[in-house]
Amino acid sequence: MVLLKSPDGGWGWVIVLVSFFTQFFCYGSPLAVGVLYLEWLDTFGEGKGKTAWIGSLASGVGLLASPVCSACVSSFGARPVTIFSGFMVAGGLMMSSFAPNIYFLFFSYGIIVGLGCGLLYTATVTITCQYFDKRRGLALGLISTGSSVGLFIYAALQKELIELYGLDGCLLIVGALSLNILACGSLMRPLELSDSPLPEKSCLEKVPDQYLIYYEKENVEENTSILEKGCNEEKCVNNMSSHDCKQDSILNKNGLISIHAKETDTYKQKVVEQTYFCKQLAKKKWQLYLNYWEETLFLFKNKVFSSLFIAILLFDIGGFPPLLLMEDVARSSNISEEEYVMPLISILGIMTAVGKLVLGVLADFKWINTLYLYVITLIMTGVALVAIPFAKSYIMLAILSGILGFLTGNWSIFPYVTTKTVGIEKLAHAYGILMFFAGLGNSLGPPIVGWFYDWTQTYDIAFCFSGLCVLLGGLLLLVAALPCWDNCNNQSAKPPPNTYSYTVASSV
């Protein structure tokens, strides 16, 4: 399928607007799950590590299923996937209000809501990349701020709803708000094909040439049977005068036998046809499967891409826990509620929105190397995480929350870096692989930090571990991005048509 050239405007701005609100409604509650996390701790009385699985699954499952999500968007389009996923998110949130135990929340909030968010994220990013080329960084930055604004608003909203209607009423109202995703999805008009639509083929023309072998044989057999039938009719006319009654009975008997034989032959022919078609279809599917893994292996031959998947895994293991646990960190540090100006999660959310927008705009400047910009955000995030154990006041935690939120805005430039690395044609495939490892990190990060707390009764060691993970990923990606690797990458493999390797050295 060849799409029209990206319009970089027009209806694309409508796509940006509805994608913004789609991420706002779907990610508002899962990202602000830190408010619900404290309520679940008090309600079910489970350990911090075990309870953290709810929020980590909600953010991780959708990313783990990114290859499946990418396949769904490629097969059905962004609009149907968005509408279907809106029902999933709303239904999962409403089901969570009736949760009798924490295990039910693993399924309703963690898996159903998480998978719906993953489908929506893939749909919004894919259709935005199709509509924008030169302004892709700005467009991705704008739509990704939807989740951050949702985090900022939902953190305060859920806290207020819990005080007014309780935890169950809060989840019901938030689930009802998520139904607005259906209206957003209806406006996601797909980009038209570049060529004029081809004339519709007949059913027989749609079948590949190898499937037509049987039909040719069938036509030959039909012609032969017609000739034989004609010869038999001539013989019957010549002998009719001498064998009237006897011949009539013989003809009737032979007619019944021929009809029965013809029905049997037709049934056998249909069986042969269906068997042959199924075999050819299985061969075709197997070839597509082999091509998928061949393309995957080719992607991993690119050292920058290979380092990206390690960096994103370590970044999510270490960088995601503050979003879920920062409120509990403040409570564990004996910070009174009177000192709170606003929830720490809200500070994280609004600064993440600012970071996504600023970094998205910076990514559009030709004199800024996007990959190096991403590496800088990873290294600074690692340093900020290591500093959390030394923050013992609300002001220090608020400052660190703002810094971490701004740096977490690097999500807006991650699709941009991926596109520049593998090309727009390979974006869905490569991005699905990278998001799988991101989901693995999201799923493991908060429980690991929670288990560290259950073991040591302090978050100090936990966040030192998180910071070192992010630092390691950033340094590894920096080494892979050095210009000395360019010649090695160019000699090792030639990119396929319509793709280009990401040039690490910045050019003016």
Side-chain angles (χ1 to χ4, degrees), residues 46-61:
E46 300 287 351
K48 295 180 186 294
K50 191 174 184 179
T51 307
W53 273 109
I54 303 173
S56 64
L57 284 174
S59 298
V61 166

Side-chain angles (χ1 to χ4, degrees), residues 1-5 130 191-196 425 498:
M1 179 181 295
V2 181
L3 300 176
L4 282 173
K5 184 180 178 181
Q130 291 175 354
L191 200 62
E192 297 177 356
L193 297 176
S194 61
D195 298 327
S196 58
E425 293 83 5
N498 300 327

